[in-house]
Each structure stands twice: as C-alpha cells, then as structure tokens.
Amino acid sequence: MIDQKGILFILSGPSGVGKGTVRKALFEQSTDLRYSISMTTRDPREGEVDGVDYFFKSRDEFEKLISQGQLIEHAEYVGNYYGTPRQYVEQTLNEGKDVFLEIEVQGALKVRENFPEGVFVFLIPPSLEELKDRIVNRGTETEDKVKNRLKAAKEEIDMMDAYDYVVVNDQIDNAVTKVKSIVASEHCKRERVAHQYKKALEDE
Ligand code: 5GP
C-alpha cells in the first residue's frame, strides 16, 4: 500500500535561462523522477515527437481541455498555450512517485496555489547580460521577439521570491547536480521520514 504521496518538483525560471536543457540533461541521467509531458498549441520543432516532447494540440482542443478542468495550470506564452495535464500528475503522485514539471513562471505561480506542498526551484542565469546573449544567439527569433523575450525575462526574475530554491545555471552539469541534491534533500526532510517510521510502528 502506498502510504505517502510522491513529491511534486517544479523547475521554472526566466525565458531563455535553459530550463529545457537542464531538464533534458537531468532525465538523461538515471532518476526516479517522472517527467510530466506538457500540452501545447505551438507547432512541433524539427525532431520533436508528439507524446514525447509535448502533446501537440489545436487551440480548440486545448480550450476544451481548459474548460473540462483537465489542466492543473495553463499559460499563454509567446502566442501559444502551454499546460500541465491534471490526471497524469495526480495519479503519479498518488502512486507515491515524484513528478517533475518544467514550466514557465506564470504557470508555476498557479501550481503553487493548487499544490502549496510542491517544491519550487527557480533557475537563473549567471547574469542578465548572459541571458540576453543566449536569447539573441539562439538566432531563431526576430528583433522584436528578442526584445519581448528580454522584457518578459526581467519581469520573471522579480518572481524569484515565490520559490523555495534558486539554482544558478552557470554550467548545465552544476545545475543538474544541484537539482538532484534538492530532490535528495526533500526526501530527507524530517516530516517525511518521521511520518514513514511512525506509520510503520503503528502497523505493528
Ligand atoms: P518551448 O516552446 O521553448 O518548448 O517552451 C516555451 C516555454 O514554455 C518554456 O519556458 C517552457 O518551460 C514552458 N512550458 C512548457 N510546458 C509548459 C506547461 O505545461 N505549462 C507552462 N505554464 N509552461 C510550459
């Protein structure tokens, strides 16, 4: 019998900070975390696979999911919807497994309202200048879009206060190690461990 729910980890942070890269590097290593695949209305990029990278949906389909309450959170980001499926997250947590979300900041704030017990990790760039370089050097955006992304990024950094942990993304490997340490530390929290022991003794 599962007597304890899994932990919900949320990795978020400003646009262009490298959330996706850190998340992918983390999941390339062995981990007990379950990644929640998001829904989106944006077009698949080259090499992206439906049901692996995202569940790709039309706007109509996405709006239906919203109205049916099938998303824990959703946000509109650079003209597209992104959202976290409710059933997968709730079911996996109920099975006692940890779930990992990698989402932008508005969505993370909404998750906090519904899952205050979640562990919120804010990924920040070593400096805003570097963030600018990364967004510009990605080279896939127009100048206007770059400006919009930068403006959004500055606002997002102000949101750090809503998080439990801050990880500086100076190097991917460092950031991944820190995220893994956070996961390990959360499992060592006294409340969590004591609960398991007390429960085991009660069963005797
Ligand atoms: P991209 O289009 O580059 O894959 O993702 C754009 C942004 O959407 C990233 O910051 C990513 O973290 C975020 N994102 C991905 N999935 C979700 C989601 O389910 N909900 C929210 N709110 N943001 C998401």
Side-chain angles (χ1 to χ4, degrees), residues 11-17 19-20 23-24 35-40 42-43 45 48 53-54 56 62 71 73-78 80-85 101-108 110-111 138 141 149 156:
L11 180 69
S12 192
S15 170
V17 70
K19 298 185 285 294
R23 185 255 303 168
K24 281 184 196 133
Y35 176 57
S36 163
I37 301 164
S38 296
M39 313 266 182
T40 186
R42 86 150 161 71
D43 291 333
R45 295 190 186 122
E48 284 185 336
D53 299 285
Y54 281 103
F56 294 100
F62 199 100
L71 302 175
E73 61 76 33
H74 69 275
E76 198 149 4
Y77 178 83
V78 200
N80 287 301
Y81 281 129
Y82 294 83
T84 304
L101 310 182
E102 178 249 299
I103 62 177
E104 53 70 67
V105 287
Q106 301 162 51
K110 282 185 222 150
V111 175
R138 195 146 59 181
E141 322 280 355
R149 279 195 180 246
E156 286 167 345

Side-chain angles (χ1 to χ4, degrees), residues 70-115:
Q70 290 198 40
L71 302 175
I72 288 174
E73 61 76 33
H74 69 275
E76 198 149 4
Y77 178 83
V78 200
N80 287 301
Y81 281 129
Y82 294 83
T84 304
R86 179 179 299 282
Q87 202 201 346
Y88 176 78
V89 172
E90 291 185 348
Q91 192 177 319
T92 309
L93 291 174
N94 285 337
E95 287 168 4
K97 295 165 194 151
D98 296 347
V99 176
F100 190 91
L101 310 182
E102 178 249 299
I103 62 177
E104 53 70 67
V105 287
Q106 301 162 51
L109 291 180
K110 282 185 222 150
V111 175
R112 179 124 238 180
E113 285 167 24
N114 294 319
F115 292 84

Side-chain angles (χ1 to χ4, degrees), residues 14 19 21 33 39 52 62 67 106 168 174 182 203:
K19 298 185 285 294
T21 312
L33 297 165
M39 313 266 182
V52 175
F62 199 100
S67 66
Q106 301 162 51
V168 179
N174 284 346
I182 292 167
D203 291 345

Side-chain angles (χ1 to χ4, degrees), residues 59-195:
R59 274 188 97 79
D60 278 356
E61 287 170 329
F62 199 100
E63 280 166 4
K64 200 164 167 199
L65 292 171
I66 299 173
S67 66
Q68 291 172 338
Q70 290 198 40
L71 302 175
I72 288 174
E73 61 76 33
H74 69 275
E76 198 149 4
Y77 178 83
V78 200
N80 287 301
Y81 281 129
Y82 294 83
T84 304
R86 179 179 299 282
Q87 202 201 346
Y88 176 78
V89 172
E90 291 185 348
Q91 192 177 319
T92 309
L93 291 174
N94 285 337
E95 287 168 4
K97 295 165 194 151
D98 296 347
V99 176
F100 190 91
L101 310 182
E102 178 249 299
I103 62 177
E104 53 70 67
V105 287
Q106 301 162 51
L109 291 180
K110 282 185 222 150
V111 175
R112 179 124 238 180
E113 285 167 24
N114 294 319
F115 292 84
E117 72 284 12
V119 178
F120 291 77
V121 181
F122 196 74
L123 193 67
I124 51 159
S127 71
L128 254 189
E129 197 51 40
E130 194 158 317
L131 175 63
K132 185 174 168 183
D133 285 349
R134 285 194 209 178
I135 292 175
V136 174
N137 289 337
R138 195 146 59 181
T140 50
E141 322 280 355
T142 62
E143 203 175 310
D144 260 7
K145 273 203 173 161
V146 168
K147 272 194 189 145
N148 282 342
R149 279 195 180 246
L150 274 176
K151 185 167 170 278
K154 282 180 190 150
E155 287 166 8
E156 286 167 345
I157 285 188
D158 290 338
M159 293 182 180
M160 199 192 288
D161 294 351
Y163 290 76
D164 302 304
Y165 293 93
V166 176
V167 169
V168 179
N169 191 16
D170 50 358
Q171 282 187 7
I172 296 162
D173 287 354
N174 284 346
V176 169
T177 303
K178 283 177 186 163
V179 172
K180 287 172 85 173
S181 311
I182 292 167
V183 172
S185 308
E186 286 295 321
H187 277 279
C188 296
K189 279 237 167 113
R190 194 238 325 127
E191 310 87 85
R192 216 178 152 78
V193 180
H195 168 86

